[in-house]
Amino acid sequence: MAASRALVLAVVVAAGCAVGLSGATDHIVGANRGWNPNINYSSWSANQTFYVGDLISFRYQKGTHNVFAVNETGYDKCTMDGITGNWTSGKDFIPLPHPGTYFFICGNGFCQAGMKVAITVRIFDLGPEIYPPPAPGADDPSSSSSSSAAGAWPAAAAAVTALGAAAILVL
Ligand SMILES: *[C@@H]1O[C@H](CO)[C@@H](O)[C@H](O)[C@H]1NC(C)=O
Ligand SMILES: *[C@@H]1O[C@H](CO)[C@@H](O)[C@H](O)[C@H]1NC(C)=O
Ligand SMILES: *[C@@H]1O[C@H](CO)[C@@H](O)[C@H](O)[C@H]1NC(C)=O
Ligand SMILES: *[C@@H]1O[C@H](CO)[C@@H](O)[C@H](O)[C@H]1NC(C)=O
């Protein structure tokens, strides 16, 4: 019994490393149309599968557009509600360190023209018996991080490490 648990643990760790080191996908928002007005990003998002450890990247003309991570209220109303980060480089790679729903908008007035995208990030598929779903709200960026500022992202990465440790303890 102990030996089989050790084997499962080794598989989980190996799978986690594979995802973390080589399996990460960079999801380019809007694909070759980039981050621009009058594109239906709900359609784009619906066609992607986001896993913990992936990146989302925004390509746009620097100075014209930008990216703000907000909460669902900010997404719905095109406001800065629940802001947790902002990016302005024109080619922004944003890590997705934990499961949950992330909301991004353009902060330069173009949100109303469709520059908003909501994505749901899943923990990788090793099966519910190995990775139970996270406790409700425990790792939801829209609730737990909404009060902190742009510096929340590294903290989120630490949270994912803690989640991994918790999953191993469950074994
Ligand atoms: C975007 O496309 C989705 C279907 O993928 C549709 O339900 C939605 O109404 C569209 N939004 C706009 C603003 O056209
Ligand atoms: C969804 O993905 C498929 C395969 O990559 C692609 O052919 C299709 O155009 C995509 N649809 C949208 C709405 O992006
Ligand atoms: C988003 O953040 C704002 C400001 O902190 C807060 O009033 C609002 O309730 C939040 N919305 C959600 C859906 O968490
Ligand atoms: C954008 O992020 C920077 C740090 O990267 C921060 O100093 C600034 O206050 C943020 N702006 C907003 C509107 O949150």
Side-chain angles (χ1 to χ4, degrees):
M1 193 61 183
S4 76
R5 285 192 181 197
L7 178 61
V8 169
L9 181 62
V11 170
V12 169
V13 170
C17 290
V19 169
L21 298 179
S22 61
T25 300
D26 174 23
H27 302 270
I28 301 171
V29 175
N32 59 4
R33 300 210 283 167
W35 182 230
N36 285 296
N38 305 316
I39 294 173
N40 187 332
Y41 291 107
S42 300
S43 297
W44 173 81
S45 176
N47 208 17
Q48 309 279 314
T49 304
F50 300 91
Y51 291 108
V52 164
D54 284 356
L55 301 170
I56 186 170
S57 68
F58 291 81
R59 319 288 170 96
Y60 55 91
Q61 190 173 348
K62 182 177 175 150
T64 303
H65 303 308
N66 60 21
V67 182
F68 285 78
V70 295
N71 69 13
E72 188 168 11
T73 306
Y75 174 84
D76 287 341
K77 298 183 179 173
C78 287
T79 61
M80 296 297 128
D81 278 309
I83 184 167
T84 55
N86 67 85
W87 295 265
T88 58
S89 80
K91 194 171 181 181
D92 305 320
F93 295 88
I94 303 175
L96 303 171
H98 57 182
T101 305
Y102 294 67
F103 301 94
F104 300 99
I105 67 171
C106 177
N108 282 6
F110 291 95
C111 178
Q112 300 286 1
M115 293 185 68
K116 48 159 59 180
V117 62
I119 66 170
T120 299
V121 177
R122 313 178 188 183
I123 202 150
F124 39 92
D125 284 338
L126 286 179
E129 59 289 330
I130 295 180
Y131 270 83
D139 280 277
D140 181 353
S142 64
S143 58
S144 61
S145 305
S146 58
S147 58
S148 42
W153 240 257
V160 105
T161 305
L163 180 69
I168 287 167
L169 282 177
V170 167
L171 296 169

